[in-house]
Amino acid sequence: FFFQTDVEISLVGGSCKNPVEKFWNGSSAMYILQKATHSEESDSMEESRTDDAVYTSEVLPKENPGALALSVGRAKQLISLYTMVQNPNVTSLGVSDLAVLPPLWARCDGSDPQHTCWIGAEPLKAGNKVMGLNIYMVSCDGPTADKTRFPNLEELKMEHKIRHHSSVVTTKGFARYELIVAAAIEDTIAESGSNIYVDITWNGVEKILETPPVISAATLNIALESGDPRSPVFQLYRELRFLLALAEGLKTGVTEWPEPSESESAPKLVQEFLTDLKKKLDGDYIFEDKNETEKINCDTAAVDNCIKSIFGERGDLDFTEQLWCKMKSKCVSSYQELIDCFTLVIKSLERGEIQPWIHQGSSSFLSQLIQQSYHGKMEAVSLSDITPIQMLLEVGLEKMKKDYVSFFIEQKSLLFQDYFISTSVELQEQVHRVQKLHHMLEIMVSCTGLLQFRHENLFPLTQICMKYYKENPLNEKHVFQLPIRQALVKKFYQNDNPEVWRVEISSGHGQKEVKTTWQVSTTAPVEHGTSNNSGLLSDSTVNGSSEEKLYFITMIQCSQVQFT
């Protein structure tokens, strides 16, 4: 495979973005072939290389993809070279013991009448030998809302039969409907990456753009980013952000404090809280009826009615948790205020003015001081350096763990509870695991409030999330998938057009199987060529209506080259 100065090739795999994933779901590793972008200096360096192989890189170039496309003729020529290299019958290359290469995809500029945007070649393997290649031709047109431009399914099937000399074909349908799309937050540039959509597959397609039948298989896909101000648990998210700020301050020595609140200062609120405790009989804190207590536990005033039923108010807040609620983000606005608050608490404990109740098993330093105060002996505490920040972080961490666990107890989803609330790991890791709990909570709340999920649906979803987060770091871009009954979500999309609709027409079996795929999608299936191709359609309305969705039309045709 001799070096070509006008092209470059990139090896894509692992966590790299897959540029052909919207229409092909084959091998995870592949070569992407495109027009060269290196400078004249790099040209001279490349020419001085002694090897004859095409230079490969691990990362796709960052330039405008539209400038990277090759002419269709050039791409076909290079695919032919790749095919020749993989063919064991071509002995003139002098290569023995050929290695099976990853699939090769070449970007095309759509300059031919079919508007070809990709050409791909995929080896057909039998053990370690290449028996042939699948050659893919991908064409793209649109966007258009004119459905008269869509072909008839019978025409597609007949075209497939003629091309592949087959008498029998099977069809498989795919449709994707967006259930919830997170819109951009007003006055901000960045859009949320949150989305909930359902993928539906079925066999025996009868017509183009048909609605999936009742017996279809459905998979719910959820990608949710925390922190949407419209979320019913946004106040809890703000509480988590304060916890994260404390953890970062503990790690770096620099804490970002919130702006001072216009309401009462944190020390004043803490003093009032301590004074109230002194008035309790025998110095013990007695809980009032849950409905009459001050609603400070989770800022539940901001929680929607539909969420209150699943994430209700905790009626068992102990002293340290109530103290956290007084001191959290809207109140404590400086390091000095933090010291003042803990000074008030420690002095009250030393004087025996309060004997507050705490949860059994509480392990924070403040809880240990409270337990010591029961016996009239407390160790000396130096409220300096990082000590006050760590004390508040420990208190908030314990409180928020119980908040999240109380929700998952209600959902009877405690398979991995010990992992998420373990105190045997260092403090920063505990904070990281609480972040995971919050992300799972956001997912459950969204599915409950927006999709009206019940326990029988939430339970398996919770288990999927917990299993993922026990094995992986926090990743709010991860798409969680849950097989569901189509009827469960049909009412959310039954009057909508799909975001993606696809039919696969196939014939043959095993490695002899060949497919013709026709697809429409509301987003361009390729990131190159759609803006500068004069042959593409750009209809915005049909018959004066602007309500029809605009679709890109993609056709993937497959042919085979057999070496044996």
Side-chain angles (χ1 to χ4, degrees), residues 422-438:
S422 172
T423 57
S424 62
V425 295
E426 60 102 17
L427 210 56
Q428 296 291 341
E429 175 60 22
Q430 292 183 47
V431 172
H432 185 66
R433 294 182 184 185
V434 165
Q435 280 185 277
K436 295 179 179 181
L437 284 172
H438 183 85

Side-chain angles (χ1 to χ4, degrees), residues 5 53 57 70 80 96 125 197 207 233 299 302 308 325 331 370 421 476 555:
T5 58
S57 62
L70 298 162
S80 296
S96 60
K125 297 177 289 186
Y197 55 93
K207 64 178 181 178
V233 291
D299 291 318
K308 286 183 179 179
C325 292
C331 301
I370 292 172
I421 63 174
E476 295 194 346
M555 178 79 114

Side-chain angles (χ1 to χ4, degrees), residues 245-269:
L246 293 174
E248 186 66 18
L250 196 62
K251 185 166 60 176
T252 64
V254 179
T255 304
E256 291 188 16
W257 299 100
E259 292 295 324
S261 174
E262 296 180 0
S263 58
E264 296 176 290
S265 68
K268 185 176 181 181
L269 286 175

Side-chain angles (χ1 to χ4, degrees), residues 330-345:
K330 287 187 178 180
C331 301
V332 177
S333 57
S334 69
Y335 179 72
Q336 186 57 50
E337 279 196 353
L338 182 59
I339 293 175
D340 293 343
C341 289
F342 278 125
T343 299
L344 290 171
V345 172

Side-chain angles (χ1 to χ4, degrees), residues 23 30 56 117 141 217 230 244 290 341 367 454 466 511:
F23 55 83
M30 69 195 73
T56 61
C117 54
D141 219 350
R230 298 163 297 182
L244 295 176
K290 185 167 109 173
C341 289
S367 295
R454 298 184 181 277
M466 285 189 169
Q511 290 197 338

